[in-house]
Amino acid sequence: MKARLEELRNAALETIAATETLQALEEARVCFLGRKGRVTGILRGLANVPPGERKALGQAANETKQAIAEAIDTRKATLESAAEERRADGEALDLSLPGRRPPRGHVHPVNSVTDELLDIFQALGFKVATGPDVETEYYNFDSLNTPKDHPARDSHDTFFVEPGIVLRTQTSPVQMRVMEATDPPVAVVVPGRTYRVDNDASHSPMFHQLEGLLVDEKVTFADLKGTLMHFVHAFFGQDAQVRFRPHFFPFTEPSAEMDISCTVCGGQGCRVCKHSGWLEVLGCGMVHPNVLAAAHYDTEKYTGFAFGMGIDRLTMLKHAIPSIGLLFENDLRFLEQF
Ligand code: DAH
């Protein structure tokens, strides 16, 4: 019996040492130590050994079992670390691979057009001013010669925040804020968000305007025309034609709308210009004396001009964008084209 144990132990250690995989090792474990394994068989056989020899034999059998179990554990650790090393080798960094580039953002088309507009007017000496999006009715309407019962208010479908407080429907209220804070002469442009209850292919409830205001002694309509023609040529190119049509705004007198020759057909007539050859781009006029007076400017001494244009509309014309909504959906497939 002792000799059999010895033999079994040697056979087991040899088999274990020869295993190359964890699976082979597990098979060896089952073969020797499993429920039907060879060591287990010997331990069971102890029942038939005469009582005198049983103790010594039992001890020897247990030692054999333990030695085999230890050999299995050691081999297991070896095989596992070898497997780990092989996996790490497979994962080795290939330093010659190009790096993964983080996606690069860029300036939104509305912002880049805004920057371009500001550059044009700043080069003429205009300063940049801003004002609040949430505005009082006083600044948005009353101070701009548009009292409560004025019919011109109807054309602005206004978002009311609370009685007396609105989301500004135009950047014009900043004219008044600037004049209240500054003695003449003033020359400012005001970019910003504006809001109206309106939503279709050419209207968005939130849109952008650029306001302009210049007040000084002896400012005339000719100054207004010269300034705006310079702007059109700088922004749309020297070939762009300009025309002024009489119009009405409460805060200017006289008032005009300015058109440019259609940027798509060059004035021949097409769908974009509704076959007129002209595109409306802004409203303008000579600052109404009531507005100067509301800012406590001396209306005998000072005159001024003002204008307001839709930045989104200019962006759409510049890039032939068919719907204003595209500018605000933030669909990367659209934005990446600029
Ligand atoms: N605020 C006008 C609008 O939203 C645009 C405008 C017209 C602004 C004439 C002006 C101006 O400053 O003089 O329709």
Side-chain angles (χ1 to χ4, degrees):
M1 190 79 155
K2 263 211 152 133
R4 263 183 66 206
L5 275 174
E6 189 65 29
E7 207 177 290
L8 189 55
R9 176 191 180 127
N10 290 339
L13 296 185
E14 215 170 285
T15 310
I16 290 163
T19 55
E20 287 298 343
T21 63
L22 286 165
Q23 194 186 339
L25 183 63
E26 173 62 11
E27 277 162 17
R29 190 192 64 78
V30 172
C31 167
F32 292 102
L33 302 183
R35 260 191 316 128
K36 295 176 183 161
R38 294 163 67 181
V39 176
T40 319
I42 289 179
L43 286 168
R44 286 218 182 95
L46 283 177
N48 307 322
V49 170
E53 297 167 30
R54 206 179 284 165
K55 193 175 168 204
L57 259 181
Q59 216 167 9
N62 271 325
E63 272 168 31
T64 304
K65 182 180 173 183
Q66 204 151 353
I68 295 172
E70 267 168 30
I72 288 174
D73 284 349
T74 312
R75 184 70 190 157
K76 190 171 179 193
T78 309
L79 289 177
E80 272 173 357
S81 73
E84 176 61 28
E85 243 166 65
R86 271 201 304 279
R87 202 171 60 228
D89 276 353
E91 280 173 3
L93 283 180
D94 180 351
L95 295 177
S96 69
L97 283 175
R100 245 178 254 156
R101 286 176 195 286
R104 249 259 204 95
H106 62 80
V107 178
H108 189 282
V110 169
N111 287 339
S112 71
V113 166
T114 304
D115 290 345
E116 193 181 336
L117 295 172
L118 295 181
D119 280 351
I120 292 170
F121 286 102
Q122 279 177 299
L124 294 176
F126 285 79
K127 297 267 181 280
V128 177
T130 54
D133 291 24
V134 179
E135 187 54 284
T136 62
E137 267 190 273
Y138 172 76
Y139 282 112
N140 195 78
F141 290 124
D142 302 73
S143 73
L144 297 172
N145 201 33
T146 321
K148 297 252 179 319
D149 56 356
H150 198 293
R153 281 210 192 188
D154 292 350
S155 65
H156 293 211
D157 285 314
T158 310
F159 286 109
F160 279 84
V161 177
E162 55 185 63
I165 306 288
V166 300
L167 295 184
R168 66 180 175 191
T169 60
Q170 48 189 355
T171 42
S172 306
V174 187
Q175 287 188 19
M176 187 53 58
R177 290 181 173 274
V178 167
M179 285 193 282
E180 282 180 354
T182 329
D183 287 332
V186 296
V188 290
V189 278
V190 182
R193 295 193 168 148
T194 47
Y195 306 83
R196 286 182 207 177
V197 184
D198 219 344
N199 206 358
D200 61 36
S202 52
H203 297 91
S204 157
M206 187 284 296
F207 55 107
H208 299 83
Q209 286 190 337
L210 184 80
E211 190 78 16
L213 172 72
L214 184 146
V215 182
D216 200 350
E217 294 177 37
K218 302 193 177 78
V219 176
T220 69
F221 203 95
D223 298 316
L224 170 61
K225 275 178 115 173
T227 304
L228 291 178
M229 281 168 72
H230 169 79
F231 148 69
V232 168
H233 291 147
F235 189 79
F236 289 104
Q238 292 298 329
D239 294 340
Q241 302 289 309
V242 178
R243 79 174 182 188
F244 290 81
R245 279 179 291 105
H247 198 72
F248 173 82
F249 296 105
F251 32 85
T252 43
E253 181 58 36
S255 305
E257 275 188 334
M258 191 186 82
D259 299 340
I260 60 162
S261 49
C262 180
T263 51
V264 176
C265 63
Q268 300 306 305
C270 68
R271 248 185 40 209
V272 173
C273 60
K274 302 204 178 84
H275 303 285
S276 70
W278 295 97
L279 297 167
E280 178 204 322
V281 289
L282 57 79
C284 60
M286 300 305 291
V287 181
H288 198 292
N290 288 355
V291 174
L292 296 173
H296 306 294
Y297 276 17
D298 181 347
T299 56
E300 294 299 318
K301 193 168 170 198
Y302 295 105
T303 52
F305 65 72
F307 56 86
M309 59 184 93
I311 298 175
D312 316 289
R313 184 165 157 74
L314 294 177
T315 307
M316 290 164 72
L317 288 175
K318 182 148 201 141
H319 298 294
I321 296 167
S323 162
I324 191 171
L326 288 166
L327 291 172
F328 306 124
E329 282 164 7
N330 286 334
D331 185 332
L332 287 179
R333 291 170 302 179
F334 169 76
L335 293 175
E336 277 165 355
Q337 297 176 42
F338 300 93

